[in-house]
Every structure is written in C-alpha cells, then in structure tokens.
Amino acid sequence: MSSSQQFRPIVWTIAGSDSGGGAGIQADLLTMHDLGVHGCSAITANTAQNTLGVPAINPVADAALQSQLEALFADLKPAAIKIGLLVNAAQVRLVADFLRAMKARGEAIPVVYDPVAVASIGTPLTEDSTGEAVLNDLLPLCDLLTPNSVELEWLAGMPVDSAEKMLTATRRVRGEHACALLVTGGHLEIEPGVTADLLSRGAGESLSEDWLIGKKIETLNNHGTGCTFSSAIAALLAQGYPLTDACVVANAYVRRGLRLGGSGAIGAGAGPVGHCGWPTELRDYPEVLVAGSERAQRFAKYSEPAALKWAAEFAQPDSNRLGLYPVVDSVDWIEKLAKEGVRTLQLRIKQPGSDLRAQIAQAVSIGRHYNLRLFINDYWDIAIECGAYGVHLGQEDLQTADLNAIQRAGLKLGISTHGFFELLYAYQYRPSYLAIGAIYATNTKDMSSQLQGPDKLARMAALLPDYPLVAIGGITLDRAQEVAASGVGSIAVVSAITGAPNYREAVAQLRAVLEQ
Ligand SMILES: Cc1ncc(COP(=O)(O)OP(=O)(O)O)c(N)n1
Ligand SMILES: Cc1nc(C(=O)O)sc1CCOP(=O)(O)O
Ligand SMILES: [Mg+2]
C-alpha cells in the first residue's frame, strides 16, 4: 500500500476558513495531513484574511454548519475533534448540541477546543454573546482547552502576567470545568528568550502541572500557530497518543514549523507558520521542567527538598550500546548469565526476603568479578551501600529517590520511560541510559496502558541517536530484529531468557541479532 492509501484515522476541524491560507481550517488540514490523519472540516465562517489583517468574518448560516456536521457524522466518524473559531452564541450552542448528542450515543471522542479570539488580541472575530455560551454550553463537553495567556485571562477572570498567576488562573478554570488545560505561553515571556506552555491535567491526588519550555524562535511567520497546535494535538490523540505525549509532540511540530517555515516570501505581513512534517529533531521538543532544577525557581515549581535530591549528568557507561540486557530476579541468574558472556544485567527483586541486602551485596561482588554493568532495580540506597555499578529507577522513584546521593557515590543511573513526555522528562536528568517501554504486550508486568509499538520506538530513538537507549517489554527473538532496527543499542528482556527452554541458546540467538 502506498503511504497515501494507508489507513488514516479521521479528525474533524470545526473552525473558520482563512482565505490567506495561514490559520483556521487551512492550517488545520495541513497539520492533520502532516501528522498522519485524514482531516474533515465543518466551516463556521469564511473569513476574508491576508497576512496583514482580517477585513471580514462572514459567518456561515446555522443550517450550513449543521448540514456539514450531519454529512460528516453519517459517513466519516471522527477519532478526535478540534474546535476553533465559533463566531456567535448560536454556533456555540449548535456545536454543543451536536457533541452532546454524539456523546449520548456513546461516542467517546476527544474534543480539543482552541478558544480562538473569544478574548480579543488584534481583530475581534466573535460576537459579544459568544463567551457566555462557550462557558455554559461548550466547555463541559471539551477534554482539552488550548488558550493562550490572553484567553486564559478571560476564562479565569484575572490578569495573567507571571508564572504564579498562570498557575492560579489555570487552577481557577479547572476548578470550574473538568477539562484539561494547555496554556500556550507565546504571549508571555516568563524567562527572557524562552517560551513556556503549562499543561494541567488530572484532578485531586493525580493533578499534574507541567511546564513545557523551549527557546523562543524569532520569526515573522507565526500566523496560525494556535490552530496548528490544537489540530496537531487532536491528530495525535486520534492515533492513540496519551494527552501528555500528544502535547509535547504537537509543541515540537509547531516549533519545527516556526524554525523551518518562513522564508518571508508569503505576503507582506505575518506569514504562516510552516508545516514541515513529523518533528524528528530533539531541538524542537520542549524541556519538561523538573522540580528541584535551578530553572524551576522561575516557574513556581521549585521546592527545597526536591532541590536537595536533584542531580543531573550521571556517569556515562563505557559504551552507548549496552547490548543484550537480561533483567533477572536472583543472584543465581546473574552468575549463570555472566558465565555466558552477558555484560549488562539487572537484579530486579520484587518479592524481597530478609536476605535482600545480602543478595544485592553478592550480586555486586559477582558483578565486579565478571566486570559486569550490573544495575540494581528499586533499592538505590542498598545499591549505594554495596558499591554497585548502577541503579535502575522508574518514573515514580524519581520523586522520592536521592539522585544526588546516587550521583555523589558515582553510581550509574538508568531510568524507565513510557512515551515521549516521560522520555523528555527523564532526559532532564541526563541519566546513564534511558529505557523505553513497553514495546509490546508482556505477561511479566501489566503495561497494557503504556504500549509503544516499534514505530513509536523508532521515532523516540531518532530523537537521541547518540544516547544510550534500552528497549524493553515483550521482546522475543522474533521481534528482536525489528527492535534493533529502531536504532536502540540495547534490548532488555525478562521472559525471553528466564522463560526460554534453553537459556544459553536464547542468549546466543539474541546476541547474534544485536551484533548483526
Ligand atoms: C531496562 C529496564 N527498563 C525498564 C524497567 C522498569 O523499571 P520500573 O519502571 O522501575 O519498574 P519495575 O521494574 O520496578 O517494575 C526495568 N526494570 N528495566
Ligand atoms: C519490567 C518491565 N518494565 C517494563 C517497562 O516498560 O518499563 S516492561 C517490563 C517487563 C519486561 O518483561 P518481558 O521481557 O518478559 O516482557
Ligand atoms: Mg523499579
């Protein structure tokens, strides 16, 4: 099948046409095509625009909007919906009624709403009655809002001119509406030379607030960034990306478009942001701010206890390619596999007995004898006491472990990640390696909500071509070739070795694939 014939999930954009081709429906469809979905449109207004301004709005009649939605629903059911410009209260209610009816039929379709120009910067695009209808009718049906800081001021009814106020305003909006918020920071320079988006999601115990930080890109060609961003998120959600991953990849897509997009040749004013394909370079991806880092002080994310445990730039292993990496639960296995010539190993004890410390100490001593790269899972404090080669930590462990102590003791550090967001977050620590999982379904551990697949693995690996990367999760001999082709230098396995009928043969075969 050629790439143009491949299955593409459907995404709707309900938004205005920009005759200048820079924003609105035109930007949305370009974005959706670039990111691998089929875009459908329901046009709310035929705006007359060019790069210099908006001479006319021209809303479509309600019946025209309704008929577009009905035609789409009859044949082209969406996997996600992006909503942009709604010109008046009647349009807001019409769209809200349509979404409500879809939800009543049991269609769980993520809705991303970019409250474009409800609060005006530049030319007002909406009629006065629109705001109230948005708050009362539309927001309860949305999963994610993507306001800029000016639109956030309107939503929260307070000024937003600092990191603290952005957080307060976001909490206020989220206190009244269930949807997540991604506030784009392009209008507010919290730190000079930097743009910072704020992603707030979850609630109660699982509330998360994350800053996504990038170098400010100076360009005149930035028209349509908000539309592009929200439709990119919708396109990624439609393909099953979790919200966090969709937000960081969409952020990178826009930043790539700003960086590469404009030769300045389109129009005399603000030209369109570029649509330059999948973001393949790390430099376009945001930094996910880590509490405890120095920068966190400027973004109200700093805490003294977190700062005391914070560390980055861990000792690097002797090679970026750690090769076959069995993860085992006993000292016995460490010794057996070391004798087979395996050099990278992990001791992962999930049911510790009273001899835990003794087991770790023995494993460390075997590791020294065979010159292993031996990582101890979870028990970083015992690993330090025993002088282990390294420790392996999960994302949750990063909130509690004393990374500073691990670094001071000279231990290497491996970190688990599951998707783009966690990869970018863990990268802030510059660990000795980054593990990416779970690549396939596995019976060893319930990873069903965090499966990456080989294509995503390859995209993540491409961001860090010179970094020690490890793939894990459901990797068998049959799949090892495909995993190795992603560019990772190491494959971690549990059952492919410990559950193999002949572990020696399994080791030899897996190593052969990696060495090819
Ligand atoms: C190489 C490697 N990658 C990922 C993991 C998973 O570690 P973690 O997230 O700490 O989960 P548990 O292994 O503790 O269940 C790993 N162990 N090794
Ligand atoms: C322990 C573990 N961590 C994973 C992650 O994705 O973080 S997947 C996984 C299980 C790996 O076992 P197997 O090779 O038998 O599938
Ligand atoms: Mg662990």
Side-chain angles (χ1 to χ4, degrees):
M1 220 186 315
S2 79
S3 63
S4 58
Q5 289 172 312
Q6 273 168 9
F7 168 76
R8 288 176 163 244
I10 290 171
V11 178
W12 295 1
T13 165
I14 305 172
S17 158
D18 170 359
S19 56
I25 292 283
Q26 286 79 358
D28 294 342
L29 294 180
L30 286 169
T31 304
M32 290 174 188
H33 183 80
D34 246 2
L35 295 181
V37 298
H38 175 74
C40 295
S41 63
I43 297 183
T44 58
N46 284 309
T47 74
Q49 288 189 61
N50 53 31
T51 64
L52 300 171
V54 190
I57 308 294
N58 305 316
V60 305
D62 292 353
L65 179 54
Q66 181 80 27
S67 61
Q68 295 173 78
L69 294 171
E70 280 171 8
L72 293 181
F73 190 71
D75 183 41
L76 297 160
K77 294 232 169 54
I81 299 176
K82 172 251 159 90
I83 302 174
L85 175 65
L86 298 170
V87 181
N88 52 45
Q91 286 194 349
V92 175
R93 292 201 187 99
L94 186 156
V95 170
D97 287 347
F98 199 87
L99 293 178
R100 213 173 291 113
M102 278 173 81
K103 284 194 192 245
R105 287 191 192 123
E107 312 270 358
I109 300 160
V111 175
V112 179
Y113 175 43
D114 182 21
V116 49
V118 176
S120 60
I121 14 177
T123 316
L125 299 183
T126 58
E127 295 168 15
D128 287 349
S129 56
T130 316
E132 206 182 315
V134 164
L135 294 176
N136 295 333
D137 296 283
L138 188 58
L139 294 198
L141 299 161
C142 296
D143 297 285
L144 175 72
L145 305 185
T146 59
N148 58 38
S149 55
V150 179
E151 290 153 354
L152 177 64
E153 288 185 338
W154 169 74
L155 284 165
M158 63 173 278
V160 174
D161 55 10
S162 65
E164 287 80 4
K165 286 194 185 150
M166 201 147 146
L167 280 159
T168 307
T170 300
R171 286 173 196 153
R172 192 179 281 185
V173 176
R174 299 213 54 224
E176 287 165 20
H177 304 281
C179 46
L181 243 70
L182 186 302
V183 185
T184 58
H187 296 284
L188 186 65
E189 207 162 320
I190 293 168
E191 180 185 323
V194 149
T195 57
D197 294 353
L198 175 63
L199 171 61
S200 174
R201 65 196 197 281
E205 293 272 284
S206 57
L207 170 72
S208 298
E209 295 170 325
D210 284 292
W211 291 98
L212 309 178
I213 299 200
K215 202 160 158 259
K216 195 174 169 89
I217 299 167
E218 299 297 346
T219 172
L220 187 60
N221 300 306
N222 58 11
H223 185 48
T225 48
C227 306
T228 298
F229 185 50
S230 51
S231 48
I233 295 175
L236 293 158
L237 291 176
Q239 293 171 82
Y241 280 68
L243 178 65
T244 47
D245 285 5
C247 288
V248 293
V249 176
N251 176 303
Y253 178 74
V254 172
R255 292 174 55 75
R256 178 176 170 86
L258 288 169
R259 181 170 63 81
L260 298 175
S263 61
I266 298 173
V273 61
H275 295 272
C276 305
W278 183 271
T280 49
E281 291 177 61
L282 185 67
R283 63 172 148 171
D284 294 320
Y285 282 74
E287 169 189 328
V288 179
L289 191 70
V290 176
S293 65
E294 201 193 312
R295 176 166 260 165
Q297 299 186 28
R298 293 191 279 283
F299 291 89
K301 177 115 185 167
Y302 185 80
S303 80
E304 196 66 39
L308 289 173
K309 291 185 192 162
W310 153 259
E313 307 286 354
F314 284 79
Q316 289 303 294
D318 55 295
S319 167
N320 281 353
R321 304 187 73 78
L322 300 178
L324 179 62
Y325 182 0
V327 176
V328 298
D329 62 2
S330 71
V331 173
D332 231 31
W333 270 115
I334 303 268
E335 188 147 34
K336 283 197 297 192
L337 294 170
K339 283 185 179 152
E340 292 307 303
V342 174
R343 277 221 55 214
T344 311
L345 279 153
Q346 182 182 132
L347 181 64
R348 176 177 180 268
I349 297 180
K350 286 295 167 183
Q351 265 133 20
S354 52
D355 61 345
L356 175 68
R357 181 179 302 266
Q359 286 195 53
I360 292 176
Q362 203 186 340
V364 168
S365 126
I366 294 170
R368 284 213 193 97
H369 178 77
Y370 287 95
N371 193 23
L372 302 179
R373 305 180 192 105
L374 175 66
F375 291 85
I376 307 298
N377 191 331
D378 296 342
Y379 303 104
W380 58 269
D381 40 1
I382 306 179
I384 292 176
E385 281 167 28
C386 296
Y389 174 86
V391 295
H392 180 93
L393 296 178
Q395 292 271 319
E396 310 75 34
D397 305 322
L398 295 175
Q399 311 312 320
T400 51
D402 189 341
L403 299 181
N404 201 289
I406 295 169
Q407 190 184 52
R408 271 187 282 118
L411 271 62
K412 312 269 191 299
L413 172 69
I415 303 181
S416 300
T417 74
H418 309 95
F420 287 85
F421 181 90
E422 289 189 4
L423 186 73
L424 295 171
Y425 179 76
Y427 180 64
Q428 294 310 312
Y429 295 92
R430 302 295 192 274
S432 317
Y433 71 76
L434 287 157
I436 301 174
I439 312 306
Y440 307 97
T442 167
N443 291 326
T444 303
K445 179 176 174 181
D446 181 11
M447 299 300 301
S448 48
S449 64
Q450 294 181 299
L451 299 183
Q452 309 303 320
D455 294 344
K456 255 195 218 175
L457 170 67
R459 285 192 154 146
M460 285 186 263
L463 296 180
L464 291 158
D466 302 318
Y467 210 83
L469 297 178
V470 175
I472 185 169
I475 302 173
T476 56
L477 180 61
D478 292 346
R479 291 164 168 166
Q481 179 72 56
E482 179 176 51
V483 174
S486 72
V488 297
S490 177
I491 291 182
V493 294
V494 178
S495 47
I497 287 178
T498 58
N502 180 336
Y503 76 89
R504 288 198 175 95
E505 210 171 278
V507 166
Q509 289 168 332
L510 284 162
R511 286 179 74 185
V513 172
L514 271 168
E515 280 157 20
Q516 260 167 28

